[in-house]
Amino acid sequence: MIYRFFIFGIFVLCAISTDAQSGGNHVFEFLNLTHSARSTALSGGMVSVIDDDIALAYANPGLLNESMHRHLSINQNFHFAGIKHGFFSYGHHLTSLNTTAHVGVNYIDYGTFDRIDEFENRQDQFNARGIALTLGAGKQINERLSLGANLKFINSTLEAYSSFGVGFDLGATYNNPENLMTFGFVIKNVGVQLSSFTDNRESLPVDIQLGLSKRFEHLPFRFSIVAHRLDDWNLSYDDPTQVTNDLFGEPINEEGGISKFTNNFFRHFIFNGEFLIGQGENFRLRFGYNHLRRKELSVSTFRSLGGFSGGFGLKVKKFRIDYGVGYYHLAGGVNHISISTNLNEWRKKV
């Protein structure tokens, strides 16, 4: 069933991807925020990492596997200006179908805003929120290949206006245990806005990602390279405030053709690494770099840690506690905390 849905989704994507998706704003942008502390620490590059972390299924449903059975994950992201963003997920292996399913709830609360009329009179207040329910399943086709799919029901509200949409993700992983390598591929947020805020419908933030993860045989370290936004080649942005003019007022192109190509090329890549330390890998150190994030939010006259990220994970008895920090701008970073547990460990031994 998953295999047929995966093939069907590829055809659907091909049919809708001819729409102009690039260069504009999309609805439900919160779907692409990093959903766990581990994801934040790795700059969002988690499409080819296979283990028992149930939160991985949101990044790529093709990563769902039997080791995620009865795993629970609670995540809270502390954004700027009091914006709250959280994610909850639970996994369950269906033995009769040899399939692992999961359910996730992703929400964002932008806080309270003041309503002010055209005469600058302060009136009452209103809220802005978004929530998405994700249902997904993954199945191992053979000893190397796994396929998965997520179905998302999405709602966003702004004051008295609301929007509803449906989307899905299609994911696949190819595991090569002899070389300790894993390849991941995912098509995210393909769907439609069923009801819009205005008369004009907007597109969902589609993202096609391809990842490679490699673990060393004699070193407790795994690095990953993830290519993202493959549906949109040109990710460059011409900032009008950075244009330099000559004596005749004509703009000077300070970035050559090769330099411009290289800059845009690396905007498609995320690099990260994870040290897996101790027996049972109970302690983990993580770091990541997202070139697109650094270039989009950099300030030419100041240096910052924008684009870099880091964090750690620690197993404490029945709980795994993760912390991640991602730097977007010289103003600082966002902090992310996750707590996960295996509910099987809470069963009383007879």
Side-chain angles (χ1 to χ4, degrees):
M1 179 66 181
I2 292 178
Y3 176 77
R4 294 175 181 174
F5 184 64
F6 186 87
I7 299 299
F8 172 75
I10 295 292
F11 283 107
V12 171
L13 176 69
C14 293
I16 69 172
S17 61
T18 54
D19 262 348
Q21 297 278 342
S22 61
N25 296 322
H26 306 284
V27 70
F28 312 134
E29 286 280 5
F30 71 95
L31 295 175
N32 280 335
L33 292 175
T34 53
H35 58 286
S36 68
R38 188 181 185 187
S39 178
T40 293
L42 298 175
S43 292
M46 292 180 60
V47 302
S48 53
V49 177
I50 298 179
D51 57 26
D52 61 353
D53 182 4
I54 186 59
L56 291 171
Y58 186 81
N60 181 359
L63 296 173
L64 282 162
N65 60 82
E66 188 175 354
S67 68
M68 297 176 178
H69 179 57
R70 289 177 58 83
H71 278 241
L72 176 69
S73 179
I74 301 173
N75 312 269
Q76 184 64 41
N77 198 348
F78 301 92
H79 272 278
F80 298 101
I83 296 175
K84 299 176 183 178
H85 171 235
F87 178 69
F88 162 89
S89 63
Y90 171 76
H92 197 91
H93 183 72
L94 306 173
T95 306
S96 60
L97 300 176
N98 192 26
T99 299
T100 303
H102 81 111
V103 58
V105 178
N106 186 17
Y107 81 91
I108 188 167
D109 188 340
Y110 296 99
T112 303
F113 299 85
D114 294 324
R115 181 186 286 106
I116 300 176
D117 63 18
E118 63 272 24
F119 304 107
E120 298 186 5
N121 296 317
R122 190 181 302 273
Q123 300 177 346
D124 55 350
Q125 296 180 322
F126 63 92
N127 300 97
R129 301 185 180 94
I131 189 169
L133 171 65
T134 301
L135 304 173
K139 184 179 181 65
Q140 189 164 342
I141 305 303
N142 54 47
E143 60 181 8
R144 294 178 182 269
L145 178 65
S146 298
L147 300 178
N150 285 333
L151 178 63
K152 300 177 180 179
F153 302 95
I154 317 153
N155 176 256
S156 183
T157 60
L158 174 62
E159 206 258 349
Y161 302 91
S162 65
S163 176
F164 181 77
V166 175
F168 63 88
D169 308 330
L170 297 174
T173 58
Y174 180 83
N175 187 26
N176 188 340
E178 292 83 4
N179 295 323
L180 302 178
M181 296 178 63
T182 304
F183 298 88
F185 175 75
V186 62
I187 305 171
K188 304 180 66 175
N189 304 324
V190 178
V192 62
Q193 187 183 26
L194 299 178
S195 62
S196 59
F197 294 106
T198 63
D199 294 332
N200 299 319
R201 296 185 186 274
E202 302 169 273
S203 60
L204 271 66
V206 176
D207 190 2
I208 301 178
Q209 300 182 4
L210 177 65
L212 162 67
S213 294
K214 165 68 176 177
R215 181 163 180 172
F216 294 93
E217 184 175 359
H218 302 292
L219 181 68
F221 177 73
R222 173 175 55 225
F223 77 87
S224 299
I225 302 175
V226 177
H228 65 130
R229 300 289 297 276
L230 297 179
D231 55 302
D232 184 4
W233 162 246
N234 186 14
L235 299 180
S236 61
Y237 169 67
D238 296 324
D239 188 349
T241 65
Q242 302 298 324
V243 175
T244 303
N245 298 325
D246 58 19
L247 294 176
F248 302 98
E250 297 296 327
I252 300 175
N253 185 10
E254 297 181 346
E255 189 175 39
I258 297 179
S259 176
K260 188 173 183 179
F261 172 85
T262 303
N263 182 21
N264 183 68
F265 177 78
F266 280 102
R267 288 177 184 234
H268 286 275
F269 286 91
I270 299 172
F271 304 91
N272 61 57
E274 188 173 27
F275 288 95
L276 312 169
I277 304 171
Q279 186 177 4
E281 304 174 355
N282 289 335
F283 183 65
R284 304 176 182 182
L285 288 175
R286 306 173 179 123
F287 62 89
Y289 175 71
N290 186 323
H291 191 65
L292 174 63
R293 184 184 299 170
R294 180 170 182 82
K295 287 299 182 180
E296 281 191 332
L297 298 174
S298 63
V299 179
S300 60
T301 54
F302 296 94
R303 291 187 177 183
S304 72
L305 291 174
F308 290 92
S309 60
F312 64 87
L314 181 64
K315 180 72 180 293
V316 180
K317 295 185 178 181
K318 295 182 177 66
F319 295 96
R320 181 171 292 280
I321 302 173
D322 294 288
Y323 169 78
V325 57
Y327 292 96
Y328 291 79
H329 190 265
L330 59 85
V334 296
N335 297 288
H336 210 146
I337 296 177
S338 300
I339 299 176
S340 58
T341 186
N342 181 0
L343 297 182
N344 290 318
E345 297 181 2
W346 293 86
R347 292 180 175 180
K348 294 182 179 180
K349 294 183 179 181
V350 180

